[in-house]
Amino acid sequence: QVQLVESGGGLVQPGGSLRLSCTASGSIFSVHAMGWYRQAPGKQRELGAFITSDGSTNYADSVKGRFTISRDNAKNTVYLQMNSLKPEDTAVYYCYADVVLLGSSGRHYYPWGQGTQVTVSS
């Protein structure tokens, strides 16, 4: 019914940059908040950043000032620009969204993407 497809992960040196993208597709009526979580090896999944439909943003302290989240509502796409990357940013990054589907009478769904690997290493 709804899919989130991520792209943009990869290997980068410390201090480098990457841009992640995530697009929601399917029988969508509306998309509300979108965001990114990340999970490092042996650690719990943690929030990186999220953005509401009107553009309000929130960041984890660990990424504040280095990461920027944005969205294109017309494309149901959220982006995460990651600058000044550190080895501790190495993780699988998961996109999520708050979605109302067509014909669902306003019910909210919270799908996740499949994850994209980000590795920061020299």
Side-chain angles (χ1 to χ4, degrees):
Q1 291 181 321
V2 60
Q3 281 189 316
L4 299 183
V5 178
E6 301 143 338
S7 63
L11 173 65
V12 64
Q13 292 187 340
S17 298
L18 282 174
R19 188 192 195 207
L20 306 182
S21 300
C22 171
T23 298
S25 62
S27 302
I28 296 172
F29 176 75
S30 60
V31 181
H32 300 266
M34 301 184 79
W36 297 89
Y37 275 72
R38 64 184 186 179
Q39 187 166 19
K43 295 188 176 181
Q44 289 188 329
R45 192 173 296 190
E46 63 176 8
L47 174 67
F50 72 83
I51 183 168
T52 64
S53 55
D54 64 0
S56 297
T57 59
N58 188 280
Y59 297 91
D61 287 342
S62 57
V63 308
K64 204 172 292 185
R66 299 186 298 120
F67 292 9
T68 302
I69 190 168
S70 61
R71 64 189 288 169
D72 184 333
N73 290 334
K75 297 180 179 179
N76 290 333
T77 298
V78 63
Y79 306 97
L80 188 67
Q81 178 66 44
M82 304 185 293
N83 298 329
S84 302
L85 282 161
K86 306 175 181 179
E88 51 264 43
D89 294 317
T90 296
V92 178
Y93 284 68
Y94 296 92
C95 170
Y96 79 94
D98 174 358
V99 177
V100 175
L101 301 182
L102 291 168
S104 69
S105 301
R107 179 181 173 183
H108 288 249
Y109 293 82
Y110 304 95
W112 289 84
Q114 79 284 359
T116 184
Q117 177 69 47
V118 171
T119 302
V120 184
S121 175
S122 54

